[in-house]
Amino acid sequence: MSRHIRLVAVATAALAASLLSAPVHAAPGSAVPMGAAAPVGGAPRTGFELSDGARWTTQAEERQFLTAVDRATDRVGVSTIGTTGQGRPVRLVRVGGSRTTTSRILLVCSQHGDEPSGREACLSTVRDLAYAADPGTRRLLSRTTVFVIPTANPDGRAADTRGNADGVDVNRDHIALKTAEGRAVAAVIRDHRPDVIYDLHEYGGTPRFYDKDLLSLWPRNLNTASPVHREARTLSERYVRPAAHDAGFSTGVYGIWTDPVTGEPVKQVAGDGQERILRNAAGIKHSVGLLVETRTDPLTDEERNDEAVNNRRRVTSQLVALHAAFAFTEERRDRIEAATSAARTAGLLDRGPIHLGGADNDPADPAEVIEDPPCGYHLTPEQYADVQDELALHGVRSRPDRHGAYVPLRQSQRALVPLLLDERAAYRLTEGRAVPDC
């Protein structure tokens, strides 16, 4: 890891500790300092910070917090991008965004309502970016717009449930787009075309398989362009995990393919190549995607005896990893933009196979590969009426005609089209008629 990233990791650890008013658990030799300090300049604090980690920030507190940050600086803008089934707003926060910015990073927090630590990290990060006066942060924001969806599943967060108010897992809805929450995320990706999509989650520990403080996983879907896939793995393996390790946290890759002790196959795939999961949808849509999971279960006596200690460890590990993602965005800016730009234009060439299954660790069966893709798919008027909104939210271009609509493959979202419309696709919107001749 470069000297610059090491400094970021140390600074991030210090920042994370400063946000908490009691010592944070970390492994022996941790770089995380003890002690506490209030946020700079009397800036607002989250409910989590005010309670010393004893409880999570309420939605009323989130609204008040974001309003205060928005009013305090012109670096921040807060908008509503959707409304849930129970009438709660899904908010998007923009930080930075001057005319000279070139890079865009999207943070998606708490898609699962019972996984709150990423939301807390996102909220405090919005505040810290907004109020920061140091040259490094100013330089980052002069060239990067940071978009944050602090609570991607407000109804689930209110009920402390994984799914939304209808019991739907939002992180399995990034193809069908049946939920208000999934549609809101899709619209942000379409409208802002983030170079990096960073998805914050938590997981329940399973000793021997899952017992690390922090796990991460990149897009495994085989339709992810090779340069985008390479940058996503770099984000995980050279930035997020090393930074967490340097701060004293144990790390690993999410998804256990073999038993770490016996070597026997386990194939706990964590949805490896499924296009409906956000980290894979991000890759297919030409963004450098990463899923990050922090462990909810306490492992030390201190964490077992005091829930706040465990909560602080969860949030701190998220903060360390998140700030490493900012360092990645800053240090590899040119490589990231080259990768995402090339991927977005490659579909216009209309070449190469498209994969309906498989993953980067599990080759697709021949039946799961369209070796010679059609020119496009034709939809009947009834089909088009049923799916035109979803196609538009995905940023897929279609041509309505008197017989329905034609959806060509020759477009930026080329690989996505068959996943939405081919009769063999697992999570298709509808079964379009393949048009072999252009």
Side-chain angles (χ1 to χ4, degrees):
M1 189 163 54
S2 70
R3 178 177 179 274
H4 172 67
I5 302 305
R6 288 186 184 280
L7 291 174
V8 169
V10 172
T12 299
L15 168 63
S18 76
L19 298 178
L20 309 172
S21 57
V24 177
H25 161 69
S30 169
V32 181
M34 299 297 182
V40 66
R45 293 169 67 88
T46 65
F48 177 82
E49 293 168 334
L50 291 169
S51 71
D52 208 13
R55 62 175 180 81
W56 306 109
T57 302
T58 68
Q59 290 179 324
E61 288 172 330
E62 175 186 317
R63 182 179 65 253
Q64 295 165 358
F65 177 87
L66 292 177
T67 298
V69 173
D70 188 15
R71 288 174 177 171
T73 172
D74 58 6
R75 286 187 196 173
V76 174
V78 181
S79 59
T80 297
I81 56 173
T83 304
T84 69
Q86 293 183 343
R88 293 183 175 90
V90 181
R91 295 185 180 89
L92 176 69
V93 183
R94 174 196 52 78
V95 187
S98 70
R99 294 180 180 178
T100 58
T101 58
T102 56
S103 299
R104 295 165 298 279
I105 179 170
L106 170 63
L107 313 182
V108 182
C109 322
S110 288
Q111 283 198 82
H112 294 146
D114 57 354
E115 300 172 7
S117 73
R119 171 177 177 257
E120 299 295 344
C122 286
L123 287 171
S124 59
T125 295
V126 165
R127 187 254 335 274
D128 296 330
L129 291 174
Y131 280 79
D134 64 284
T137 303
R138 287 180 175 274
R139 183 170 57 252
L140 172 73
L141 295 179
S142 72
R143 302 193 294 173
T144 305
T145 304
V146 180
F147 296 98
V148 184
I149 303 176
T151 308
N153 180 6
D155 291 349
R157 178 79 287 274
D160 194 29
T161 57
R162 178 180 177 88
N164 68 1
D166 295 320
V168 178
D169 186 335
V170 176
N171 200 31
R172 301 297 185 272
D173 187 45
H174 295 290
I175 287 293
L177 302 183
K178 297 302 184 184
T179 66
E181 298 88 350
R183 295 169 76 87
V185 173
V188 172
I189 295 172
R190 177 198 62 193
D191 295 343
H192 298 292
R193 300 201 306 174
D195 297 290
V196 177
I197 298 177
Y198 189 91
D199 187 18
L200 294 82
H201 286 261
E202 296 194 87
Y203 78 98
T206 305
R208 195 174 90 209
F209 297 112
Y210 288 121
D211 58 1
K212 306 298 185 183
D213 292 313
L214 186 134
L215 303 172
S216 61
L217 186 59
W218 51 88
R220 289 197 183 276
N221 189 281
L222 294 173
N223 296 296
T224 303
S226 294
V228 172
H229 179 267
R230 183 170 58 249
E231 289 302 317
R233 287 205 65 167
T234 298
L235 170 57
S236 173
E237 303 303 282
R238 290 176 52 189
Y239 286 78
V240 165
R241 290 185 59 195
H245 179 270
D246 284 359
F249 297 106
S250 58
T251 71
V253 175
Y254 193 55
I256 305 298
W257 202 242
T258 59
D259 188 308
V261 176
T262 68
E264 294 295 317
V266 175
K267 293 192 175 182
Q268 197 288 323
V269 298
D272 274 349
Q274 290 181 18
E275 59 266 29
R276 61 180 181 163
I277 294 173
L278 180 59
R279 62 176 169 78
N280 283 318
I284 297 167
K285 293 182 177 182
H286 319 310
S287 296
V288 175
L290 191 70
L291 168 82
V292 173
E293 304 257 357
T294 195
R295 190 192 73 246
T296 59
D297 304 78
L299 288 187
T300 68
D301 288 340
E302 186 181 16
E303 289 180 354
R304 294 187 190 96
N305 294 332
D306 187 345
E307 185 177 3
V309 174
N310 187 47
N311 292 345
R312 292 196 295 268
R313 187 264 308 159
R314 291 157 62 180
V315 174
T316 303
S317 62
Q318 290 276 17
L319 281 166
V320 170
L322 176 54
H323 282 260
F326 290 144
F328 165 82
T329 303
E330 183 71 2
E331 185 165 290
R332 295 182 66 87
R333 180 181 308 277
D334 292 344
R335 293 182 180 91
I336 297 166
E337 292 177 9
T340 57
S341 295
R344 288 170 181 143
T345 58
L348 302 175
L349 301 176
D350 196 25
R351 297 174 184 165
I354 293 173
H355 297 84
L356 300 176
D360 67 0
N361 61 343
D362 186 20
D365 292 331
E368 297 176 312
V369 182
I370 306 177
E371 292 287 358
D372 186 18
C375 287
Y377 294 84
H378 194 271
L379 305 179
T380 66
E382 294 78 17
Q383 286 177 315
Y384 186 58
D386 188 44
V387 303
Q388 62 177 321
D389 287 348
E390 287 73 29
L391 293 176
L393 283 165
H394 280 302
V396 169
R397 180 169 52 86
S398 58
R399 302 176 193 162
D401 57 38
R402 61 192 180 92
H403 302 294
Y406 175 66
V407 184
L409 259 69
R410 191 182 293 273
Q411 58 178 297
S412 180
Q413 300 290 357
R414 175 179 182 268
L416 181 59
V417 172
L419 300 178
L420 300 175
L421 303 178
D422 197 276
E423 64 179 359
R424 293 165 290 176
Y427 306 105
R428 61 187 178 275
L429 296 177
T430 190
E431 296 182 12
R433 177 175 59 84
V435 179
D437 300 321
C438 299

